Amino acid sequence: MAGLWTYLDGRILRPEDARIGLLTHALHYGTAVFEGIRAYWSEAAGQLNIVAARAHYTRFARSARIMRLPLSEDADELVAITVELLRRSQLREDVYVRPILFAASQDLDVDYRAGGASLAVCLVPMPGQDGQDAHEGAGLRCVTSSWRRVPDAAMPVRAKVAGAYVNSCLAHLEALDAGCDEAILLTADGHVSEASAENLLLLRDGACITPPVTDDILEGVTRALLLRLLTDDLGVPVLERSVDRSELYVCDELLLCGTWTEVAPVTSVDGRAVGDGCPGRIGRELRRRYLAAVRGESPGPAGWLVPVY
Ligand code: PMP
């Protein structure tokens, strides 16, 4: 039966029938790990393709392991659950998929291990986005946040942990209050880490520079694909190294990348224009290639797209 379906602990339910208790540990302490996955509808192929499902679920399993949350399904089983959910919902539009594994304990003790974990997968349709490029025209205005990125020494940043997103929320709201679109966070020692929910790519003198995984970033799935496209398809050399804040002010192009934001050019940082203040050439080309790959219009890496129908 069409209409949205949700997965919760082995059952496929209507979203309104999926209920959890108010004392759920994850609600109080942020003890959950999650993913953000996209499926793109291709009108030409009459197909809904899930992007990088295996890579996302592999990160999900790693996040679970870091947080000691039990997960019995492997990445392939999680992909199969997602395909089944999308197929049942009969969606023919772009969809955001939100899997979450959360500490299910109903005990307020911080030790959540005895309560086990619940697994849910939610679908959020994104109608009207087909073929649209939200970042074709104007770029994003960013500010350096007064909040520092959570250091891995305080919380595991390569795990996508719900509680860590308090840091993202504070930084993002601060950017909006400043009349900008997004925040760039520095590490505790002052290097550029990432944006509130996107990784960063700088282009300088024909090369791409991106903060390394040891500078408190989430190890982004989109970042990994783009670095491959840059080196293999565009012949742009990639340097993974620590980035100083002032490099943001002198780079030729600056891009945010992530599943939600896709590839978005930044046109100002802290009131200074990036390059000539317009989206740059390499960023535009990279975005075009990324969107073609996720929409199934050009071949991406093997297994990159998982068809639903
Ligand atoms: N950093 C953070 C903090 C994020 O939340 C996200 C979105 N998942 C990203 C980077 C980009 O990661 P991905 O390309 O895997 O979506």
Side-chain angles (χ1 to χ4, degrees):
M1 213 191 335
L4 274 193
W5 293 94
T6 288
Y7 176 93
L8 179 61
D9 291 333
R11 299 170 63 202
I12 291 188
L13 305 161
R14 289 298 188 189
E16 61 273 21
D17 295 329
R19 288 164 190 250
I20 61 166
L22 276 181
L23 286 178
T24 300
H25 199 277
L27 177 64
H28 295 261
Y29 303 121
T31 41
V33 298
F34 66 100
E35 272 303 319
I37 307 175
R38 275 220 204 204
Y40 286 86
W41 172 246
S42 163
E43 193 65 52
Q47 185 58 271
L48 184 63
N49 290 306
I50 313 174
V51 178
R54 240 186 153 277
H56 281 284
Y57 280 123
T58 300
R59 184 171 67 189
F60 189 62
R62 287 186 188 140
S63 297
R65 159 199 280 265
I66 289 173
M67 285 303 296
R68 306 172 71 176
L69 289 167
L71 175 65
S72 45
E73 294 79 1
D74 64 20
D76 289 331
E77 289 164 332
L78 294 165
V79 173
I81 288 169
T82 307
V83 168
E84 168 67 10
L85 205 54
L86 287 164
R87 202 174 281 157
R88 277 228 206 167
S89 300
Q90 285 293 303
L91 290 165
R92 289 186 153 66
E93 59 196 335
D94 294 352
V95 192
Y96 192 74
V97 181
R98 168 53 55 85
I100 182 163
L101 179 72
F102 56 94
S105 168
Q106 299 292 310
D107 184 336
L108 290 177
D109 191 329
V110 289
D111 180 0
Y112 50 86
R113 291 170 301 174
S118 279
L119 173 67
V121 184
C122 310
L123 303 181
V124 182
M126 304 177 79
Q129 298 225 337
D130 309 346
Q132 303 234 336
D133 187 342
H135 303 294
E136 183 53 51
L140 301 175
R141 286 158 309 158
C142 290
V143 277
T144 308
S145 180
S146 68
W147 297 98
R148 293 296 168 105
R149 171 75 173 141
V150 187
D152 191 69
M155 206 184 268
V157 289
R158 61 183 38 70
K160 206 166 158 58
V161 180
Y165 280 75
V166 168
N167 184 229
S168 299
C169 295
L170 290 169
H172 188 67
L173 293 187
E174 183 185 42
L176 297 182
D177 283 346
C180 289
D181 303 301
E182 183 55 301
I184 295 175
L185 292 101
L186 305 180
T187 61
D189 71 356
H191 288 111
V192 173
S193 180
E194 60 178 354
S196 78
E198 301 91 6
N199 293 123
L200 291 170
L201 305 177
L202 289 77
L203 289 147
R204 210 179 159 187
D205 300 329
C208 171
I209 306 166
T210 189
V213 295
T214 43
D215 274 346
D216 299 329
I217 67 167
L218 181 78
E219 297 175 352
V221 171
T222 315
R223 173 182 177 275
L225 176 72
L226 295 179
L227 295 187
R228 238 170 112 160
L229 287 178
L230 279 163
T231 46
D232 297 356
D233 293 15
L234 297 179
V236 173
V238 170
L239 282 157
E240 294 189 59
R241 64 150 173 84
S242 290
V243 172
D244 283 341
R245 174 177 181 169
S246 56
E247 291 189 270
L248 298 174
Y249 304 153
V250 296
C251 62
D252 306 316
E253 297 183 43
L254 178 61
L255 304 170
L256 303 187
C257 65
T259 302
W260 180 277
T261 306
E262 300 166 326
V263 184
V266 176
T267 46
S268 78
V269 181
D270 297 336
R272 294 154 176 92
V274 174
D276 62 4
C278 296
R281 187 181 56 81
I282 296 176
R284 270 206 309 272
E285 182 58 21
L286 193 59
R287 193 177 66 245
R288 196 184 64 72
R289 287 182 188 237
Y290 177 78
L291 292 178
V294 295
R295 291 208 176 274
E297 292 157 8
S298 70
W304 180 248
L305 298 183
V306 175
V308 168
Y309 300 116

